[in-house]
Amino acid sequence: MATTRQAAATSPWRAPILFAILALLFVLEGTVRNSMFSGSWNTSLAILNMGLISAITALGVNMQWGYAGLFNVGVVGFLALGGLAPVLIALPPVEGAWSSGGMRLLLSLFVGMGTLAMAKMAWTRTRSGLIVAGVLLAGFVAYRWLFDPAVLAIEANNPARHGNIGGLGLPVLLSWVVGGLFAAAAAWAVGKVALGLRSDYLAIATLGIGEIIVAVLKNEDWLARGVKNITSIPRPVPYEVDLQANPDFVDFATSWGFGAAEASGIWVKLCYMLLFLVVLLTIILLAELALKSPWGRMMRAIRDNETAAEAMGKDVTARHLQVFVLGSAVIGIAGAMMITQDGLMAPTSYNPLRYTFLIWVMVIVGGSGNNWGAVLGAILIWFIWIKVEIWGPNLIGFLVTPLPDGDLKTHLLDSAPHMRFIVMGLVLLLVLRFAPRGLVPER
Amino acid sequence: MDILNALVAFLNFVFIPAAAYGAQLALGALGVTLIYGILRFSNFAHGDTMAFGTAVTIIVTWGLQALGISLGPLPTALLALPFGIAATALLALGTDRVVYRFYRVQKAAPIILVMASVGVMFLMNGLTRLLIGVDEIRFTDGARFIINVRDFREWSGLEEGLALRTTQLLTLVVAVLVVWALFWFLNRTKSGKAMRAYSDNEDLALLSGIDPERVVRMTWIIAAGLATIAGVLYGLDKSFKAFNYFQILLPIFAAAIVGGLGNPLGAIAGGFVVAFSEVAVTYPWVKVAGYLFPGWQPDGLLQLLGTEYKFAVSFVILIIVLLFKPTGLFSGKSV
């Protein structure tokens, strides 16, 4: 990637061919059974579905990096925040949680936000650090005085089963939109503070924000039970057991030559796939339209030469904030979709290596600045990430066959799953070096 | 006597742990800052460089222990440290040759180097896991305490005990020696002066005949040494776990930035600022307050934030400092 990313001539067939190869990989995974592929449509579709969610996340990152050159290393945080939405929207309300401390909790959150706003006002009016510190301190004491008892009361409410504030009992699909809004709101606040920073400083600031959001989810039990996890989040698609109990479905499955158990799994995954595809294609459509509009040209102009764009009268900071919020909203939607698919909210699983840096590998490999590239990169990298877990040990097993049995051989075999990281690092470095504009470069 | 008790509690739970942690952060941040000053990018792989160096040191320590070599009351890891540094330096030089040099020659945008460092981070992470696995490892041996709680109580007659672990004192002593050696090198030797000149003004340094590749090599070797020492001290003080070293990257970056990226003095100050605020904000002050105001019974623990939010504190400090001083307390660089 040079500093200016002017388009270079590439074959128009490049993207379709690469997508065809990708499709072939998934068909092989679904049909062929050998040491490379599992031959199970259930596995193939499971990988594809997570790949589609990763693709949406990658689209969000691509908006920020590819359109505007913003280096966001806090992807995991926005993803986790989006995942909070299904919990708060779709779960049934928890008996007694609101009455025990809900109002007091809301009030404390308002006081917290009001304190920040007042501190900001005090700073702009008086420019006195002492007054600002006083406002912050008083606000913090008031906030904790309201917050602590409320949290204690909510967490004491049937802690074995609940101990959280509960949800609103609304349809889970609504939570996908709300997840986007959560992430967008957080991104606005973050952007207000951090977007003035230069590239490396911004990267590290977002890295910190991601960690903080995950820490909050892990530790605030009243919100989503923290590390106690939330299970059985409602689904937008049928349940496997119901399908297996339905004679019509069983007949239908046998007519296609599948057992009821296998077919129900495939059917559910196909339903999810359709939903994910609808979201993915809608976002791509909107993104492509935006990119081809004057707004898109302005964004790229800002990305390629900030100073020149500023001289032309473009408000660079405001545009950066805008695209940062939009991209984060897309990441938030993906986060909500992921929790909906898993039916489980487990904050400990939000590992930045997996949910920030792997997403970055996807965007770079796919082709930053190109939406289809980001999608291709995401699904391909996700496929490799999953399969390396099987290919790695097989390969190492093959390589160590000549070695005598012993500690070294066992050690090598045991640590083979760690090949994942090595493979991902290698892929990223090789692409950065030899195809810096990605597999499907920006046009 | 109560003031003395309060002081001892403060020393025991706040000052000593924070000082040791601050020294570890400072050494880590010095490495990040040196790389930023000379190569002009934030090295995301620094945490995993620390993990790799520590892993090699642990393996050599095991070897030495198997041979029956020990340092008596001191941890054997100190003997193994030079091997760890050598291996890490070789690895760092290797990655520079294979990865970073290409972009340096191309004069690629700094952000590309940052991304390449993400790739290196993945590689080193995998390599460390291959080498030593993901389990938690305690590799300290020798004496555990210099002062232990019971002896201190008997000696002083105070209610509150004081403990000073060998690893904590060792961390401080080693950190002081390393920082002294580093500053001596940077200020007194020809190579060190060349590095500073290159960091201040690349073009001018090139004009005066400084070999940039030599400066870069030296930087990697020193950064690898600092990373390994910081990693081993951190591992001795707490325990070694490959993933923790990725986590510690955040406070290290925070320390480097709070002090001002590219400024060695700033990195040290930043390390202690971050460590002391982390510990002070998450420590329940109720015990100290109890000694100071005997009649007063506070409702809570007088803890500003839960211990879980340690990392959050380092980041909040980072944001506050950047809001008022965009390039850190000691005015670092920005590309």
Side-chain angles (χ1 to χ4, degrees):
Chain A
M1 262 174 279
T3 36
T4 54
R5 288 181 279 179
Q6 300 301 322
T10 46
S11 158
W13 290 101
R14 189 165 176 156
I17 289 173
L18 286 169
F19 269 102
I21 294 173
L22 191 61
L24 184 70
L25 280 177
F26 279 94
V27 172
L28 285 175
E29 178 70 22
T31 51
V32 180
R33 189 180 184 85
N34 57 20
S35 61
M36 298 271 288
F37 299 107
S38 67
S40 146
W41 279 108
N42 260 316
T43 316
S44 178
L45 285 172
I47 301 176
L48 179 62
N49 279 348
M50 201 55 210
L52 289 173
I53 295 177
S54 305
I56 296 175
T57 321
L59 277 178
V61 173
N62 188 38
M63 284 179 186
Q64 297 173 340
W65 168 246
Y67 297 8
L70 296 176
F71 192 43
N72 173 9
V73 205
V75 180
V76 66
F78 297 106
L79 206 70
L81 209 54
L84 191 58
V87 174
L88 294 182
I89 296 295
L91 276 188
V94 168
E95 196 92 355
W98 268 97
S99 51
S100 62
M103 276 305 152
R104 196 180 171 115
L105 186 82
L106 272 188
L107 190 66
S108 77
L109 295 180
F110 273 119
V111 168
M113 278 191 275
T115 306
L116 291 181
M118 265 173 59
K120 164 102 176 124
M121 234 164 66
W123 177 246
T124 41
R125 291 262 171 90
T126 63
R127 296 273 150 188
S128 150
L130 221 61
I131 294 180
V132 174
V135 169
L136 283 176
L137 193 68
F140 186 73
V141 170
Y143 162 76
R144 288 295 293 263
W145 178 74
L146 286 165
F147 182 77
D148 289 356
V151 165
L152 278 180
I154 293 170
E155 287 179 358
N157 176 38
N158 195 358
R161 282 195 56 212
H162 298 303
N164 64 326
I165 191 86
L168 298 173
L170 297 171
V172 71
L173 284 182
L174 180 69
S175 74
W176 294 7
V177 180
V178 178
L181 291 177
F182 280 0
W188 183 82
V190 170
K192 272 285 177 197
V193 182
L195 279 184
L197 308 175
R198 320 257 161 113
S199 53
D200 289 40
Y201 291 82
L202 174 69
I204 289 154
T206 48
L207 179 73
I209 288 158
E211 290 296 299
I212 289 181
I213 296 177
V214 175
V216 168
L217 281 180
K218 274 185 196 160
N219 299 304
E220 298 299 319
D221 285 10
W222 58 272
L223 194 60
R225 283 170 59 81
V227 289
K228 285 185 276 179
N229 300 349
I230 283 196
T231 50
S232 55
I233 292 165
R235 271 187 179 186
V237 298
Y239 284 86
E240 283 90 345
V241 269
D242 296 341
L243 288 175
Q244 286 160 27
N246 179 348
D248 291 341
F249 180 79
V250 176
D251 288 344
F252 172 72
T254 10
S255 73
W256 281 78
F258 284 109
E262 195 190 354
S264 61
I266 294 178
W267 183 256
V268 169
K269 290 189 181 78
L270 281 175
C271 292
Y272 271 125
M273 187 186 85
L274 271 180
L275 284 172
F276 294 166
L277 273 177
V278 168
V279 178
L280 178 67
L281 292 176
T282 315
I283 292 176
I284 288 198
L285 179 71
L286 292 175
E288 286 286 313
L289 285 177
L291 206 56
K292 297 225 157 60
S293 70
W295 182 86
R297 283 196 294 278
M298 173 182 64
M299 290 313 301
R300 275 176 292 176
I302 291 177
R303 180 198 65 192
D304 288 341
N305 193 336
E306 246 173 63
T307 327
E310 202 146 23
M312 304 277 284
K314 307 296 177 201
D315 188 347
V316 173
T317 318
R319 293 289 86 76
H320 274 174
L321 182 64
Q322 194 179 30
V323 82
F324 188 66
V325 167
L326 284 175
S328 300
V330 172
I331 298 172
I333 293 173
M337 290 165 61
M338 196 176 82
I339 294 301
T340 311
Q341 186 197 233
D342 295 347
L344 164 81
M345 171 74 171
T348 38
S349 69
Y350 286 114
N351 173 348
L353 277 177
R354 154 74 184 86
Y355 290 109
T356 297
F357 293 106
L358 191 65
I359 301 286
W360 268 99
V361 176
M362 294 170 175
V363 173
I364 305 269
V365 168
S368 48
N370 186 317
N371 291 319
W372 291 106
V375 172
L376 179 87
I379 301 178
L380 180 68
I381 289 293
W382 181 247
F383 186 83
I384 297 175
W385 174 260
I386 292 290
K387 295 308 286 185
V388 163
E389 201 177 22
I390 298 145
W391 294 345
N394 283 349
L395 178 71
I396 289 197
F398 174 73
L399 289 179
V400 298
T401 3
L403 285 180
D405 285 342
D407 285 347
L408 180 67
K409 190 169 177 176
T410 355
H411 176 75
L412 282 175
L413 284 173
D414 286 347
S415 40
H418 308 311
M419 285 291 286
R420 259 185 177 180
F421 289 102
I422 297 185
V423 170
M424 285 303 135
L426 272 181
V427 169
L428 178 63
L429 288 176
L430 289 175
V431 168
L432 269 181
R433 173 96 178 233
F434 296 108
R437 287 147 49 76
L439 293 177
V440 188
E442 184 182 356
R443 273 171 312 209
Chain B
M1 273 323 212
D2 277 341
I3 290 180
L4 276 182
N5 272 321
L7 185 68
V8 171
F10 171 77
L11 282 177
N12 196 19
F13 294 106
V14 179
F15 189 82
I16 295 176
Y21 181 47
Q24 291 150 12
L25 286 187
L27 289 179
L30 270 174
V32 168
T33 264
L34 275 182
I35 301 277
Y36 192 90
I38 305 285
L39 292 119
R40 300 193 160 76
F41 73 96
S42 313
N43 183 13
F44 273 73
H46 198 75
D48 286 298
T49 313
M50 284 167 71
F52 177 82
T54 314
V56 173
T57 309
I58 291 175
I59 291 172
V60 177
T61 306
W62 286 340
L64 290 173
Q65 283 169 341
L67 293 174
I69 301 171
S70 84
L71 271 180
L74 291 173
T76 316
L78 282 185
L79 275 181
L81 193 57
F83 298 95
I85 293 175
T88 317
L90 280 179
L91 183 74
L93 288 174
T95 45
D96 183 71
R97 171 58 68 90
V98 178
V99 180
Y100 299 117
R101 195 169 72 164
F102 173 76
Y103 301 103
R104 202 162 53 238
V105 172
Q106 286 225 316
K107 298 218 175 295
I111 205 80
I112 306 304
L113 283 158
V114 175
M115 283 184 184
S117 83
V118 170
V120 173
M121 175 186 84
F122 267 110
L123 269 177
M124 282 193 181
N125 193 306
L127 199 63
T128 310
R129 288 172 188 221
L130 264 183
L131 201 64
I132 206 161
V134 289
D135 301 328
E136 187 162 340
I137 299 168
R138 297 194 165 276
F139 57 107
T140 167
D141 48 7
R144 248 175 92 56
F145 288 101
I146 294 173
I147 304 173
N148 77 33
V149 172
R150 195 198 295 162
D151 291 349
F152 180 83
R153 276 209 199 113
E154 280 169 9
W155 172 78
S156 66
L158 288 172
E159 214 176 303
E160 194 61 41
L162 181 75
L164 178 64
R165 279 184 305 184
T166 321
T167 52
Q168 289 169 330
L169 187 71
L170 191 71
T171 298
L172 287 170
V173 171
V174 172
V176 168
L177 287 177
V178 167
V179 167
W180 173 80
L182 180 70
F183 277 81
W184 176 81
F185 173 80
L186 287 178
N187 293 326
R188 292 273 179 273
T189 65
K190 202 160 175 259
S191 317
K193 284 177 186 162
M195 272 175 70
R196 276 173 47 218
Y198 187 85
S199 164
D200 285 342
N201 188 332
E202 198 179 329
D203 295 329
L204 216 57
L206 291 180
L207 264 181
S208 55
I210 289 171
D211 174 10
E213 286 303 311
R214 204 178 106 85
V215 168
V216 167
R217 273 201 303 277
M218 211 112 69
T219 312
W220 279 115
I221 293 172
I222 296 173
L226 287 168
T228 310
I229 295 171
V232 168
L233 290 176
Y234 183 80
L236 283 172
D237 198 18
K238 286 156 181 122
S239 66
F240 174 85
K241 206 174 169 199
F243 187 68
N244 284 353
Y245 284 80
F246 171 75
Q247 293 270 322
I248 201 186
L249 195 60
L250 185 63
I252 284 182
F253 271 147
I257 289 185
V258 163
L261 271 176
N263 185 325
L265 245 148
I268 298 168
F272 286 102
V273 167
V274 167
F276 272 92
S277 9
E278 271 189 16
V279 177
V281 170
T282 56
Y283 174 68
W285 289 93
V286 63
K287 198 174 207 173
V288 176
Y291 285 123
L292 287 178
F293 314 103
W296 180 53
Q297 278 297 324
D299 319 330
L301 290 168
L302 293 183
Q303 188 180 18
L304 290 172
L305 274 176
T307 333
E308 312 85 17
Y309 291 114
K310 252 178 67 178
F311 288 132
V313 176
S314 54
F315 170 69
V316 171
I317 298 162
L318 171 84
I319 283 286
I320 294 174
V321 168
L322 287 185
L323 278 179
F324 294 101
K325 300 204 78 169
T327 51
L329 293 174
F330 286 66
S331 301
K333 306 183 202 318
S334 66
V335 233

